[in-house]
Amino acid sequence: MKSSEGGRELPIGDAAARFGLRPHVLRHWEDEGLLTPGRDAAGRRTFGEEDLVRIAMIMHGKEAGLGLERMRALLGARGAEERQHVLAEGLSGLRERIALLSRAAELLEKALACEHEDVVTCPHFRRIVAETVADTRP
């Protein structure tokens, strides 16, 4: 039997509340294969210490930009090499998102510093928008 808080199993509501989550999130993560909580005599989910560690790992992974699919791969990896591969892919994706967000922040900074009365009428801004439209054409 899994244990939590001195051997005590937590019901789903208490486990979720410890992490500021709603119980349906933990049920979803179970459906996605990320969690395997125990069951009490009445069939209700119970969360032990290892479950709480896993919930914390999932939350940290989500904060790092790892989606549930990648978290499932990470938690289900069969060894350090496989885990390293999943983490490297996650880091690459995170760096791509950081670059995209940096470009977006730069665009907003330029828009805020624009001397035109309305940034929508700014020729520089319109050129950037036109380039974006051209880049998205099939």
Side-chain angles (χ1 to χ4, degrees):
M1 177 179 250
K2 302 175 201 171
S3 65
S4 177
E5 293 188 11
R8 193 173 127 245
E9 298 273 318
L10 296 176
I12 191 168
D14 292 349
R18 282 188 62 165
F19 295 94
L21 300 171
R22 306 275 311 252
H24 72 87
V25 173
L26 299 185
R27 285 191 290 274
H28 176 67
W29 290 353
E30 180 183 5
D31 291 343
E32 291 293 318
L34 297 167
L35 297 173
T36 54
R39 301 283 176 160
D40 65 13
R44 294 177 297 237
R45 292 168 181 84
T46 59
F47 293 81
E49 190 64 36
E50 285 304 310
D51 297 309
L52 299 180
V53 168
R54 202 163 173 102
I55 292 167
M57 290 174 64
I58 295 166
M59 292 188 66
H60 283 293
K62 287 176 60 63
E63 288 173 3
L66 303 178
L68 294 184
E69 184 176 324
R70 188 156 284 139
M71 283 305 303
R72 185 175 34 260
L74 180 64
L75 295 170
R78 287 172 268 153
E81 187 175 327
E82 194 174 325
R83 262 188 289 288
Q84 292 294 323
H85 178 72
V86 172
L87 291 170
E89 286 178 340
L91 180 59
S92 176
L94 182 59
R95 286 186 172 143
E96 288 174 12
R97 285 191 301 280
I98 289 170
L100 178 65
L101 289 171
S102 292
R103 288 191 301 273
E106 186 177 319
L107 177 62
L108 293 177
E109 288 169 351
K110 287 179 180 177
L112 286 170
C114 181
E115 295 177 4
H116 288 82
E117 183 176 326
D118 183 359
V119 69
V120 175
T121 63
C122 172
H124 179 68
F125 181 79
R126 305 265 318 171
R127 182 178 49 77
I128 292 170
V129 171
E131 289 171 3
T132 302
V133 170
D135 288 344
T136 60
R137 288 191 181 131

